[in-house]
């Protein structure tokens, strides 16, 4: 028997078609030539020698599947952060983990809250499962706890907070994170995206992992793509309750972290000197860069105070962000113009090497006529 249909082809779910696809940062100039890439918040110091050697040591293991449980990686993370390895999950960058949380806890009819100027993946993760994104107003480009809480309804299932935030670089102190959690219903999962946490000073820990140890509705994600310099391998991890981890494993893709990637990540955890050097370099040149932008205030440039490895520069004068973006491309610098995140007047600029950072400022000074 043939079933009659009025449709000529399979039809995608409408909530999927409502997604604006993620657009990665460019890797080449407008003419296709190589350029200095400061658009994706990669580590300008590269990768630690220990991690690179560990990766290379597995060149003969290409025919074998990786350890699907990532046992050694979970154990290394647990030792380093004093966590329970059974409550750790891993995936293809922290992006996959952020999607897993939505897949487990949200669906059609539910709501997912995130802060205006938040990471693009939050919107995609919500829509992918048929949930409705709810955008909370910001406070000076950062997280506003009271604005988030005011939007919570009986349909709210998830709240995403990046700390430091991407693309603004703003930071929410531990007391505010704790207050936000205390004001959320027990059945709402607070997801703390800590992709840039390693760039914070020791006294700036937002307390997310500590909350996740004892609260079943707190989940923390991190990545090896940023300070550890392993962006090419796409390794992320998350920490939460046993119940949350069990549920996420049911929908996690198997063999999601390669053998060489697991080895490199384990070595990266132990490369404390490289991490500290990366943090110091970033803090030094982020401060210098922000101070130089302040000197261009008369030309309408303003840097949002950042705790990450990038700075969001606002163009509030005659020269627009779009014009500056295109001029920088011509000068050989690729930065991130972010109109898709509600910031048509902003350029997110990664802190590069000393030479790259100095060169970027020189190019900006020329573009705004302050050379």
């Amino acid at each position: 028997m043939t079933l009659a249909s009025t449709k000529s082809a399979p039809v995608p779910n409408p909530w999927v078609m409502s997604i604006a696809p993620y657009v990665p940062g460019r890797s080449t100039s407008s003419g296709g030539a190589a350029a200095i890439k400061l658009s994706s918040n990669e580590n300008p110091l590269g990768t630690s020698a220990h991690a690179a050697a560990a990766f290379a040591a597995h060149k003969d293991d290409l025919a074998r599947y990786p350890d699907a449980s990532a046992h050694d990686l979970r154990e290394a993370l647990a030792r380093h952060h004093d966590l329970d390895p059974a409550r750790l999950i891993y995936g293809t960058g922290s992006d996959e983990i952020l999607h897993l949380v939505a897949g487990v806890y949200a669906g059609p009819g539910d709501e997912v809250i995130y802060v205006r100027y938040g990471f693009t993946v939050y919107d995609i993760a919500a829509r992918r499962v048929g949930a409705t994104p709810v955008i909370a107003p910001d406070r000076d480009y950062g997280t506003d706890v009271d604005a988030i809480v005011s939007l919570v309804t009986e349909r709210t299932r998830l709240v995403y907070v990046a700390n430091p935030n991407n693309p603004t670089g703003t930071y929410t102190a531990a007391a505010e994170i704790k207050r936000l959690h205390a004001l959320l219903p027990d059945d709402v999962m607070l997801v703390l995206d800590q992709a840039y946490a390693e760039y914070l000073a020791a006294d700036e820990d937002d307390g997310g992992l500590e909350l996740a140890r004892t609260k079943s509705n707190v989940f923390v994600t991190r990545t090896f793509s940023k300070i550890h310099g392993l962006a090419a391998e796409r390794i992320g991890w998350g920490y939460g309750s046993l119940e949350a981890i069990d549920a996420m494993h049911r929908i996690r893709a198997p063999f999601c972290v390669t053998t060489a990637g697991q080895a490199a990540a384990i070595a990266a955890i132990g490369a404390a000197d490289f991490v500290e050097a990366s943090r110091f370099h970033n803090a030094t040149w982020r401060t210098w860069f922000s101070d130089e932008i302040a000197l261009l205030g008369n030309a309408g440039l303003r840097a949002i105070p950042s705790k990450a490895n990038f700075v969001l520069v606002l163009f509030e004068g005659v020269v627009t962000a779009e014009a500056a973006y295109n001029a920088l491309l011509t000068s050989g610098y690729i930065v991130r113009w972010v109109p898709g995140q509600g910031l048509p007047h902003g350029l997110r600029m990664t802190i590069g090497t000393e030479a790259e950072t100095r060169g970027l400022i020189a190019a900006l000074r020329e573009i705004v006529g302050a050379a």
Side-chain angles (χ1 to χ4, degrees), residues 47-93:
T47 308
S48 79
H50 295 296
F55 181 90
H58 288 277
K59 61 183 178 61
D60 296 327
D61 297 331
L62 296 175
R64 302 293 182 186
Y65 284 108
D67 172 16
S69 71
H71 175 273
D72 292 347
L73 175 56
R74 287 188 296 109
E75 290 289 335
L77 283 167
R79 286 192 301 271
H80 185 72
H81 294 284
D82 189 25
L83 303 173
D84 178 356
R87 295 171 58 182
L88 283 159
I89 196 165
Y90 39 91
T92 308

Side-chain angles (χ1 to χ4, degrees), residues 284-357:
T284 300
W285 289 101
R286 183 183 63 202
T287 298
W288 182 88
F289 181 84
S290 297
D291 289 346
E292 290 294 311
I293 293 296
L295 295 177
L296 299 177
N298 289 338
L301 274 62
R302 177 163 69 100
I304 299 299
S306 174
K307 293 290 187 180
N309 68 336
F310 58 85
V311 175
L312 178 68
V313 179
L314 304 182
F315 288 75
E316 300 171 326
V318 175
V319 177
T320 66
E322 182 179 11
Y325 171 75
N326 289 321
L328 285 171
L329 277 177
T330 301
S331 298
Y333 292 89
I334 304 173
V335 296
R336 187 82 148 127
W337 183 36
V338 280
Q341 289 172 266
L343 291 162
H345 58 306
L347 297 180
R348 192 192 68 189
M349 307 182 187
T350 305
I351 301 303
T353 64
E354 176 181 350
E356 290 168 348
T357 306

Side-chain angles (χ1 to χ4, degrees), residues 264-285:
I266 292 168
I269 293 169
D273 290 347
F274 176 79
V275 170
E276 183 53 39
S278 297
R279 184 186 298 114
F280 179 79
H281 171 90
N282 183 73
T284 300
W285 289 101

Side-chain angles (χ1 to χ4, degrees), residues 9-44:
V11 178
N13 286 323
W15 55 83
V16 172
M17 299 311 295
S18 73
I19 295 172
Y22 180 82
V23 180
R26 297 181 60 149
S27 297
T28 59
S29 68
S30 53
I36 296 171
K37 185 185 176 190
L38 300 173
S39 58
S40 297
N41 305 335
E42 296 149 331
N43 190 330

